[in-house]
């Protein structure tokens, strides 16, 4: 039997490519930039499998361009870039990379939380510029974290991991879940409280966003939500940018209606809302939540195993339309 043809839309860590090459003919976008849409569509025309990124739309147009496709593996846990119902309708299995990036992304949320609370980037800037005049009792005062209330919006895998990491800081934890059902682990381990979104906004000193992007969460954080938060509150987002109305966030930060924000994701990546990059009370990262060497390698091997399983007619480990294998 001839080996299947696989296209990888951008270079991923080598161990994933090695796995693919053992079982398939692998072609890859050799550059370190996304392919223009037309070129991507041309590249996948004769492929049975594609391993792709969250920056690519995997939709009817994509599937039309790849008539031989028998599997698509997303190199991401988020899958708002994939039209899963359309894939299922065409009986094409699709997968994502959960679990292997949970701790990395939760750690990134903490990095942002502390960076904003203790004004790490501002302070670093003063040191580097040579402008520091020496120690002072009132310089660069930040917000304490220990004992403050942590609000988790979307206590799934990553949100729960972020919450569990708060144990050392003895934080009361409130949370929401997509299902509205309580989280057993958070209740047991932290005595956390499932609350309404409104109550979470009112009670939290720090809010960390982990909800997936869907029609129910788009612009969940808008001007009205910021108005209900404490003026001392800090908002962190390592999930998906469009969950926050970014222009409204810039206004809220500029007018100090909330104290600060730490962002890893944006509404229109790679762009930021005008003014965001000028605010001292925002810390902005270039979508690196899963970006540890460990996680990115594990994502590569998981995505590769998923894709090879699909091409083998087997259910992948982390399938987004498992009903195809029922
Ligand atoms: C990153 O944003 C991911 O969804 O893995
Ligand atoms: C600060 O450096 C202190 O010793 O209080």
């Amino acid at each position: 039997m001839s080996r299947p043809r696989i296209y990888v839309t951008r270079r991923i860590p080598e161990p994933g490519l090695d796995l693919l090459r053992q079982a398939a003919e692998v072609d890859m976008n050799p550059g370190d930039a996304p392919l223009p849409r037309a070129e991507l569509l041309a590249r996948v025309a004769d492929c049975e499998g594609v391993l792709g990124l969250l920056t690519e739309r995997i939709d009817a147009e994509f599937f039309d361009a790849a008539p031989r496709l028998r599997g698509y593996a997303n190199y991401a846990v988020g899958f708002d870039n994939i039209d899963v119902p359309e894939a299922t309708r065409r009986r094409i299995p699709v997968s994502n990379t959960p679990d292997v990036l949970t701790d990395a992304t939760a750690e990134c949320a903490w990095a942002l939380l502390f960076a904003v609370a203790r004004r790490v980037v501002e302070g670093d800037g003063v040191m580097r510029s040579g402008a520091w005049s020496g120690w002072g009792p009132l310089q660069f005062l930040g917000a304490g974290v220990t004992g403050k209330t942590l609000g988790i919006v979307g206590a799934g895998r990553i949100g729960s991991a972020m919450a569990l990491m708060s144990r050392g800081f003895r934080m009361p934890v409130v949370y929401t879940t997509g299902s509205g059902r309580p989280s057993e682990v958070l209740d047991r381990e932290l005595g956390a409280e499932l609350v309404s979104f409104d109550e979470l906004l009112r009670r939290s000193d720090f809010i960390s966003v982990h909800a997936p992007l869907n029609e129910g969460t788009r612009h969940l954080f808008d001007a009205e939500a910021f108005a209900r938060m404490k003026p001392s509150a800090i908002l962190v987002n390592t999930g998906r940018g469009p969950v926050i109305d970014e222009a409204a966030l810039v206004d809220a930060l500029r007018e100090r209606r909330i104290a600060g924000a730490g962002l890893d994701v944006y509404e229109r990546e790679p762009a930021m809302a005008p003014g965001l990059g000028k605010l001292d009370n925002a810390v902005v990262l270039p979508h690196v939540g899963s970006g540890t060497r460990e996680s990115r390698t594990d994502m590569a091997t998981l995505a590769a195993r998923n894709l090879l399983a699909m091409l083998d007619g087997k259910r992948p480990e982390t399938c987004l339309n498992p009903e195809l294998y029922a």
Side-chain angles (χ1 to χ4, degrees), residues 234-257:
I234 288 171
L235 179 65
V236 172
N237 188 8
T238 53
R240 283 292 179 267
V243 174
I244 293 176
D245 179 340
E246 209 169 290
L249 176 63
V250 171
D251 290 341
L253 290 171
R254 191 182 279 135
E255 294 159 20
R256 307 276 159 168
R257 282 185 269 127

Side-chain angles (χ1 to χ4, degrees), residues 179-224:
S179 65
R181 280 193 296 277
S183 156
E184 221 175 277
V185 59
L186 294 190
D187 293 3
R188 185 181 65 238
E189 298 292 321
L190 300 173
E193 271 179 83
L194 175 65
V195 296
S196 66
F197 181 58
D198 187 61
E199 188 174 348
L200 183 142
L201 292 175
R202 285 189 286 101
R203 285 176 58 185
S204 300
D205 298 300
F206 299 93
I207 296 178
S208 192
V209 182
H210 302 280
L213 174 62
N214 54 45
E215 282 325 304
T217 62
R218 191 177 294 276
H219 283 197
L220 184 62
F221 282 84
D222 55 9
E224 215 181 294

Side-chain angles (χ1 to χ4, degrees), residues 287-319:
H287 201 150
V288 290
S290 68
T292 62
R293 285 181 291 277
E294 294 89 344
S295 270
R296 289 283 167 86
T297 301
D298 291 346
M299 289 164 68
T301 52
L302 175 57
R305 290 197 307 275
N306 279 338
L307 189 55
L308 293 177
M310 294 187 258
L311 297 183
D312 218 13
K314 300 196 179 95
R315 175 173 155 165
E317 287 162 58
T318 54
C319 193

Side-chain angles (χ1 to χ4, degrees), residues 15-324:
L17 296 171
D18 287 343
L19 278 182
L20 294 175
R21 288 184 188 121
Q22 284 167 25
E25 295 309 315
V26 181
D27 193 10
M28 181 174 66
N29 166 13
D32 192 27
L35 283 183
R37 180 76 173 172
E39 196 180 335
L40 172 69
L41 296 184
R43 293 280 175 179
V44 300
D46 61 351
C47 287
E48 277 99 47
V50 174
L51 191 156
L53 309 182
L54 59 96
T55 44
E56 282 139 10
R57 270 182 298 109
I58 307 304
D59 55 6
E61 181 190 50
F62 177 88
F63 295 128
D64 283 343
R68 303 175 62 185
L69 196 71
R70 290 191 286 120
Y72 170 79
N74 214 37
Y75 187 75
V77 65
F79 53 88
D80 47 280
N81 62 312
I82 308 175
D83 185 342
V84 178
E86 181 63 25
T88 307
R89 202 177 63 69
R90 296 173 187 239
R91 307 202 60 78
I92 298 171
V94 291
S95 65
N96 64 340
T97 58
D99 307 318
V100 292
L101 46 60
T102 296
D103 290 334
T105 309
E107 289 164 7
C108 183
W110 280 104
L112 284 169
L113 188 155
F114 273 103
V116 179
R118 297 306 299 270
R119 304 172 63 179
V120 169
V121 177
E122 259 184 284
D124 180 88
V126 165
M127 291 308 294
R128 286 168 194 265
S129 72
W132 190 42
S133 54
W135 195 87
L138 301 178
Q139 283 172 4
F140 288 104
L141 302 188
V145 171
T146 301
K148 299 277 182 68
T149 297
L150 175 62
I152 301 284
V153 174
R157 284 177 291 246
I158 299 169
S160 297
M162 158 78 185
L164 289 170
M165 288 174 187
S166 75
R167 277 182 283 204
F169 302 110
R170 304 189 297 279
M171 302 172 88
V173 173
V174 294
Y175 66 93
T176 64
T177 59
S179 65
R181 280 193 296 277
S183 156
E184 221 175 277
V185 59
L186 294 190
D187 293 3
R188 185 181 65 238
E189 298 292 321
L190 300 173
E193 271 179 83
L194 175 65
V195 296
S196 66
F197 181 58
D198 187 61
E199 188 174 348
L200 183 142
L201 292 175
R202 285 189 286 101
R203 285 176 58 185
S204 300
D205 298 300
F206 299 93
I207 296 178
S208 192
V209 182
H210 302 280
L213 174 62
N214 54 45
E215 282 325 304
T217 62
R218 191 177 294 276
H219 283 197
L220 184 62
F221 282 84
D222 55 9
E224 215 181 294
F226 301 132
R228 283 182 277 159
M229 287 167 63
K230 297 183 184 184
S232 56
I234 288 171
L235 179 65
V236 172
N237 188 8
T238 53
R240 283 292 179 267
V243 174
I244 293 176
D245 179 340
E246 209 169 290
L249 176 63
V250 171
D251 290 341
L253 290 171
R254 191 182 279 135
E255 294 159 20
R256 307 276 159 168
R257 282 185 269 127
I258 67 170
L263 306 176
D264 185 47
V265 289
Y266 306 88
E267 265 199 274
R268 277 170 283 275
E269 296 177 10
M272 285 195 285
L276 182 56
K278 297 264 192 303
L279 295 169
D280 280 344
N281 53 348
V283 173
V284 289
L285 285 177
H287 201 150
V288 290
S290 68
T292 62
R293 285 181 291 277
E294 294 89 344
S295 270
R296 289 283 167 86
T297 301
D298 291 346
M299 289 164 68
T301 52
L302 175 57
R305 290 197 307 275
N306 279 338
L307 189 55
L308 293 177
M310 294 187 258
L311 297 183
D312 218 13
K314 300 196 179 95
R315 175 173 155 165
E317 287 162 58
T318 54
C319 193
L320 293 168
N321 45 6
E323 63 271 33
L324 290 181

